[in-house]
Amino acid sequence: RNLYKEVKQTKLSFEQVTWLKETCEDIGVEFMASTFDKERLGWLEELGVKRHKAGVRATSDRRLLEEMAATSKEVFVSLNKGKPLGFLLRGNIKYLYCVPQYPTPAAKFKLSKVDFSKFSGLSSHYPGIEPAMIAISKGAKVIEVHFCLSRKKLYNPDITSSVEPDELKRLVKFAKQAPEILG
């Protein structure tokens, strides 16, 4: 299996990203995308996103992270098992706990050891909502999950670490009820 080739085949054009943003706006969903290079950061700025996201593999690119922070927008940064960056990042930065394995086996999360007063949330690559629900119960305010319409009918490199529509609905319902349940 050549993951690089698979990912390259799923790379989106600016026109496709524009269409996704417009589609999100049409249905009342805020559009957001992970950025891995300066060109795509420019695309997202041109499209007027409200916030930025840096995945784990972008955390070694100090210049890109600094450019995201320089936009003065909120920036979510996924940290590999919570390990801090090797440099100080200034701005409206929110860190997400992440295990960068696709899909992430349940035993790799180790959420009992994660302090969500230090992390804004969880970036999950689990084909279900259980880790996200536990993180919410522990105080996570932000949850990132990969989403697909069907794990059986579609294919892309992230499909094995994605949640489907019924799971996402249950997660949203849980997140809305959690503050009341937790008191």
Side-chain angles (χ1 to χ4, degrees):
R1 175 174 171 203
N2 185 335
L3 186 58
Y4 175 77
K5 185 177 179 182
E6 290 176 21
V7 170
K8 197 158 175 73
Q9 289 174 339
T10 60
K11 196 173 184 180
L12 300 177
S13 68
F14 180 72
E15 291 74 24
Q16 290 168 315
V17 173
T18 301
W19 178 84
L20 283 171
K21 182 180 186 293
E22 290 169 354
T23 300
C24 286
E25 287 174 348
D26 289 347
I27 61 172
V29 171
E30 180 187 336
F31 174 77
M32 188 173 163
S34 291
T35 306
F36 297 99
D37 60 53
K38 187 176 178 176
E39 179 183 11
R40 271 120 199 122
L41 176 59
W43 290 3
L44 296 176
E45 280 295 289
E46 185 175 333
L47 292 172
V49 297
K50 293 180 182 177
R51 60 195 99 234
H52 291 289
K53 166 72 174 45
V56 168
R57 74 174 195 235
T59 58
S60 62
D61 189 340
R62 182 177 183 161
R63 183 171 289 163
L64 177 63
L65 293 177
E66 288 172 344
E67 287 183 25
M68 283 183 189
T71 67
S72 299
K73 295 178 181 175
E74 189 172 43
V75 179
F76 293 100
V77 179
S78 292
L79 295 178
N80 184 353
K81 296 180 187 171
K83 295 176 186 160
L85 296 173
F87 53 90
L88 181 62
L89 193 56
R90 298 183 190 280
N92 191 3
I93 312 302
K94 308 286 184 175
Y95 294 104
L96 305 178
Y97 179 85
C98 178
V99 180
Q101 188 173 342
Y102 299 77
T104 304
K108 295 280 186 175
F109 280 95
K110 308 228 184 289
L111 291 179
S112 67
K113 298 176 182 177
V114 179
D115 180 354
F116 283 102
S117 68
K118 296 178 181 173
F119 295 95
S120 294
L122 174 73
S123 174
S124 178
H125 305 110
Y126 186 77
I129 60 174
E130 295 80 7
M133 293 171 77
I134 291 168
I136 291 167
S137 298
K138 291 191 69 185
K141 304 290 185 230
V142 175
I143 300 294
E144 176 200 2
V145 294
H146 292 229
F147 175 76
C148 68
L149 295 176
S150 171
R151 285 190 292 264
K152 293 178 183 142
K153 296 180 182 178
L154 301 171
Y155 179 77
N156 73 47
D158 287 340
I159 207 81
T160 60
S161 56
S162 298
V163 300
E164 294 180 322
D166 63 323
E167 295 169 306
L168 188 59
K169 284 179 189 174
R170 285 195 341 261
L171 180 59
V172 169
K173 181 178 180 183
F174 178 84
K176 288 179 178 178
Q177 291 176 331
E180 182 180 353
I181 293 167
L182 291 169

